[in-house]
């Protein structure tokens, strides 16, 4: 009888131990999952006006551990950022995990943000919004492309938050604001195509392209604006969508492709005039699904037509104003 009891007790103990182990494993998996999601948190500027922080998390002291480190005293080297000449010392490669990242950022859109202030805070950024880390050689040269029209207020905040983040990430980069001329229907994806071509005209060494909406700011600087082996979607957890994807296959907001990935899908579609759909079409280009499989061959970077009206190198970004035409009178999709 006592041997029987002993055996049962042993089995119960084993089962409890196993359960504990399982519990521990699940906890570890969840921890890393949440951690990864936090890196991808994005804050979208409120369309209702500048006087409101976007998400309670953005201003609550419990969720935001640190202010955005923007001042020159943030520990970043600030030497003039010229490419090394023949006599310049050869710098070591930039580390995969840049030191000096601060993690979660306090993002708010309430204080006034004059461009002079942003300029003062980013002395290492050269004319046109170009930057090269002074202490290491980055593996990629990144063109950040922003489709734009009449959003100067958003742009000031974007520059205020992104320049220090990109510098801390030790990126060699340039900022290109592609400004759609006139008042005809906006065409986000066509402007991104223009940005790709115009950035390359300016510097043929660009090999990574980050396409960002002007009102989207990462809430954690560990979300590295670099390209990978696959096209990347950076804005996978946005405050406006409750910090999750609105649907599987969502590719809007901020994405990144290297040069060959972009060319392999014939760039982005030119025929999405007005709000929505272009990001879904871009996603479909990777997966070659739906109608896009047929349209992407004829509609893309190979067929984009536009006229550059003005290139102006500002202290914090390059502004390219373009005439991209107007939508046809019938829907050309399909
Ligand atoms: C549109 C996308 C948009 C998404 C989220 C979809 O219906 O097609 O372009 O990004 O909604 O707002």
């Amino acid at each position: 009888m006592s041997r029987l009891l002993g055996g049962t007790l042993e089995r119960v103990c084993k089962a409890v131990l196993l359960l504990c182990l399982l519990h521990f494993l699940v906890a570890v998996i969840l921890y890393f999952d949440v951690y990864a999601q936090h890196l991808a948190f994005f804050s979208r500027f409120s369309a209702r006006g500048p006087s409101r922080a976007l998400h309670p998390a953005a201003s609550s002291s419990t969720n935001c551990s640190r202010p955005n480190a923007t001042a020159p005293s943030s520990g970043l080297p600030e030497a003039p950022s010229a490419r090394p000449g023949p006599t310049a010392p050869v710098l070591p490669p930039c580390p995969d995990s840049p030191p000096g990242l601060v993690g979660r950022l306090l993002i708010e859109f309430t204080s006034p943000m004059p461009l002079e202030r942003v300029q003062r805070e980013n002395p290492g950024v050269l004319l046109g919004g170009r930057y090269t880390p002074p202490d290491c050689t980055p593996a990629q040269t990144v063109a950040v492309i922003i489709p734009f029209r009449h959003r100067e207020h958003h742009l000031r905040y974007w520059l205020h938050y992104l320049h220090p983040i990109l510098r801390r990430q030790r990126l060699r980069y340039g900022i290109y604001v592609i400004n759609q001329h006139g008042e005809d229907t906006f065409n986000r994806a066509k402007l991104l195509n223009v940005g790709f071509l115009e950035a390359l005209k300016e510097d043929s060494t660009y090999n990574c392209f980050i396409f960002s909406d002007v009102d989207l700011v990462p809430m954690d600087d560990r979300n590295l604006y670099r390209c990978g082996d696959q096209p990347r979607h950076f804005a996978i957890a946005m405050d406006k969508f409750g910090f999750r994807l609105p649907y599987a296959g969502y590719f809007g907001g901020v994405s990144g492709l290297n040069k060959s990935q972009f060319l392999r899908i014939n760039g982005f579609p030119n025929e999405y005039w007005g709000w929505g759909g272009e990001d879904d079409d871009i996603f479909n280009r990777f997966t070659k699904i739906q109608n896009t499989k047929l349209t992407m061959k004829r509609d893309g970077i190979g067929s984009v037509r536009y006229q550059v009206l003005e290139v102006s190198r500002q202290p914090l970004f390059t502004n390219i104003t373009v005439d991209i035409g107007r939508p046809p009178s019938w829907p050309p999709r399909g």
Side-chain angles (χ1 to χ4, degrees), residues 44 240-241 246-247 250-253 275-280:
R44 196 185 270 283
K240 109 169 195 183
F241 299 126
Y247 49 87
Y250 172 71
F251 202 67
W275 183 86
E278 85 294 340
D279 45 2
D280 304 322

